[in-house]
Amino acid sequence: MHIKKQRLLTPGPTPLYPKALHAMMDADIHHRTEDFRNLYRTVLADLKEVLGTQNDVLVLVSSGTGAMEASVSNCFSPGDRAIVCTAGKFGERWVEIAKAFGLNALVLEAPYGQAVAAETVAKALDANPDTKGVFVQASETSTGAAHDIRSMAAAVKKTDGIFIVDAITGLGTMPIDIDGWGIDICIGGSQKAFMIPPGLAFLSVSENAWNKMDAAKLPRYYFNLKKEKKNAASGESAWTPNTALMLGFAEALKFIKQLGMAKLVDNAQQLAHATREACKAVGLELFAPDNPASSVTAVKAPQGMDSGIIVKEFRNRFGSIIANGQGSMKGQIFRIAHLGYFDFPDLFGVIAELELILHANGVPVRLGSGVAAVQRVYAERAIVKEATVKV
Ligand SMILES: *Cc1c(COP(=O)(O)O)cnc(C)c1O
């Protein structure tokens, strides 16, 4: 048997930043000590810097969905009017959370692969002046489509409602100006562009959102944002934190600070562009060609082929773990991730593997055509010039 390295190439969890992984082994510290308080304060300050916001930032021990739920349970009362945008499985999660907590949800739905237009949100806000909040995904990971959250924010800003963005795969893959655009709650998760394992969610909270919390009547206990804010002020979390992940998060944030958030975004955008070019070069069709996200590229399986075969072949032949479609998209699409700790050599490999898999399954493809497309993007883009300057 030949060596087959396992590579995790999904849009969450994503490849791990090695230094963060190593830092996690130092987890034998107690969370009510000065050591932990220093760590926590550093994480919160660095996170704030990386997100580029003056708003408060909080970290929760949960996967990303915990912060989504917290934004609903902390800011709203039963029966509150909310506008919920959905264009995929994660948008459907917003709808489910809103309904579970008894919000009066007006659902704006776009077909899978497309995005809800900002204009549609603006019109819905005009027609529903009592709207208390608008929910959306920055990047819909299940379809690879991105929303125009900047224009949506502008529409929400004209109202009394708050704008809540699930930016779990948007952060680090697209420019997001939380303060400049007016995003009241911006949610992220550890296992996406932040390069560490699943288990931490985080969010920024605007003054406006804090004010809403004073009147919000929905029940909450574990996810109590005011309590978290109060504890964070003294360097602690409300409950026992995930100390190991916090250590990893600190390292990852240090790395992202050094790199610069804009560079992290540019990295994802370059890889996303190259992925799209490669897929077109091998004759595959993109699932969300009109509003493509830079977090993940969803690709349609060739005619008559189940995308599950491609996913399975990636794993069996090469040890590469890529994502299938979710829900009804399962079997139809496969997804190539490029958020966080991904680089061009990763993509050279992924596309070469894809070509070999298609070839082995009788799909006509010229070996090397997709890889050449990625190489062309690499050669044409600033990355090369930048490297040249350094030499
Ligand atoms: C990963 C992800 C989430 C969070 O899912 P969890 O399993 O709770 O971490 C939410 N929204 C989007 C867009 C995601 O990609």
Side-chain angles (χ1 to χ4, degrees), residues 11 63-66 68 90 93 137 139-141 166 168-169 191-192:
S63 74
T65 307
M68 293 170 74
F90 291 102
R93 191 170 296 182
Q137 268 67 39
S139 140
E140 174 50 77
T141 320
D166 164 2
I168 294 175
T169 55
Q191 82 277 28
K192 307 290 170 110

Coordinates of all heavy atoms in Angstrom, one line a residue, residues 11 63-66 68 90 93 137 139-141 166 168-169 191-192, ligand 1:
P11 N -15.5 22.9 4.1 CA -15.7 24.3 4.5 C -16.1 24.3 6.0 O -16.9 25.1 6.4 CB -16.8 24.7 3.6 CG -17.6 23.5 3.3 CD -16.6 22.4 3.3
S63 N -20.7 25.4 19.1 CA -20.5 25.6 17.6 C -21.2 26.9 17.2 O -21.8 27.5 18.0 CB -20.9 24.4 16.9 OG -22.4 24.4 16.8
G64 N -21.0 27.2 16.0 CA -21.6 28.5 15.5 C -23.0 28.7 15.8 O -23.5 29.8 16.1
T65 N -23.8 27.6 15.7 CA -25.2 27.7 15.9 C -25.6 28.3 17.3 O -26.6 28.9 17.4 CB -25.9 26.3 15.7 OG1 -25.4 25.8 14.4 CG2 -27.4 26.3 15.7
G66 N -24.8 28.0 18.3 CA -25.0 28.6 19.6 C -25.1 30.1 19.6 O -26.0 30.7 20.2
M68 N -25.9 31.9 16.9 CA -27.1 32.2 16.2 C -28.3 32.2 17.1 O -29.1 33.1 17.2 CB -27.3 31.2 15.0 CG -26.2 31.2 13.9 SD -26.4 29.8 12.8 CE -27.8 30.3 11.8
F90 N -28.2 26.8 5.7 CA -28.0 27.7 6.9 C -29.0 28.8 7.1 O -29.4 29.1 8.2 CB -26.5 28.2 6.9 CG -25.5 27.1 7.1 CD1 -24.9 26.5 6.0 CD2 -25.4 26.5 8.4 CE1 -24.0 25.4 6.2 CE2 -24.5 25.5 8.6 CZ -23.8 24.9 7.5
R93 N -31.7 27.2 8.8 CA -31.4 27.1 10.2 C -31.9 28.4 10.9 O -32.5 28.4 12.0 CB -29.9 26.9 10.5 CG -29.6 26.6 11.9 CD -28.2 26.1 12.1 NE -27.9 24.9 11.3 CZ -26.7 24.2 11.3 NH1 -25.7 24.7 12.1 NH2 -26.5 23.1 10.7
Q137 N -27.3 35.1 6.0 CA -25.9 34.6 6.0 C -25.1 35.5 5.1 O -25.6 35.9 4.0 CB -25.9 33.2 5.3 CG -26.1 32.0 6.2 CD -27.4 31.9 6.9 OE1 -28.4 32.2 6.3 NE2 -27.4 31.6 8.2
S139 N -22.2 34.4 3.8 CA -21.9 33.4 2.8 C -22.6 32.1 3.2 O -22.6 31.6 4.3 CB -20.3 33.1 2.8 OG -20.0 31.8 2.7
E140 N -23.4 31.6 2.2 CA -24.3 30.4 2.4 C -23.4 29.2 2.1 O -23.3 28.9 0.9 CB -25.6 30.6 1.6 CG -26.5 29.3 1.6 CD -26.8 28.8 3.0 OE1 -27.7 29.4 3.7 OE2 -26.2 27.8 3.3
T141 N -22.9 28.6 3.1 CA -21.9 27.5 2.9 C -22.5 26.3 2.1 O -21.7 25.6 1.5 CB -21.4 27.1 4.2 OG1 -21.2 28.3 5.0 CG2 -20.0 26.4 4.1
D166 N -25.0 36.0 10.1 CA -24.3 34.8 10.2 C -23.1 34.9 9.3 O -23.3 34.6 8.1 CB -25.2 33.6 10.0 CG -24.4 32.3 9.7 OD1 -23.1 32.3 9.8 OD2 -25.0 31.2 9.4
I168 N -20.3 33.2 9.6 CA -19.5 32.1 10.1 C -18.5 31.7 9.0 O -17.4 31.4 9.3 CB -20.4 31.0 10.6 CG1 -21.1 31.4 11.9 CG2 -19.5 29.7 10.9 CD1 -22.1 30.5 12.5
T169 N -18.9 31.7 7.7 CA -17.9 31.5 6.6 C -17.7 32.8 5.8 O -17.0 32.8 4.8 CB -18.3 30.3 5.7 OG1 -19.6 30.6 5.2 CG2 -18.3 29.0 6.4
Q191 N -14.2 26.9 13.6 CA -13.7 25.9 12.7 C -13.8 26.3 11.2 O -13.8 25.4 10.4 CB -14.5 24.6 12.9 CG -15.9 24.5 12.3 CD -17.0 25.1 13.1 OE1 -16.8 26.1 13.8 NE2 -18.2 24.6 12.9
K192 N -13.9 27.6 11.0 CA -14.0 28.0 9.6 C -12.7 28.7 9.2 O -11.7 28.1 9.3 CB -15.3 28.9 9.4 CG -16.6 28.1 9.9 CD -17.0 27.0 9.0 CE -18.1 26.2 9.6 NZ -19.4 26.2 9.0
Ligands
LIG1 C1 -20.6 26.1 9.8 C2 -21.7 27.1 9.6 C3 -22.6 27.4 10.7 C4 -22.5 26.8 12.0 O1 -22.7 25.5 12.1 P1 -22.2 24.7 13.4 O2 -22.3 23.3 13.0 O3 -23.1 25.1 14.5 O4 -20.8 25.2 13.7 C5 -23.6 28.3 10.5 N1 -23.7 29.0 9.4 C6 -22.9 28.8 8.3 C7 -23.0 29.7 7.1 C8 -21.9 27.9 8.4 O5 -21.0 27.7 7.4

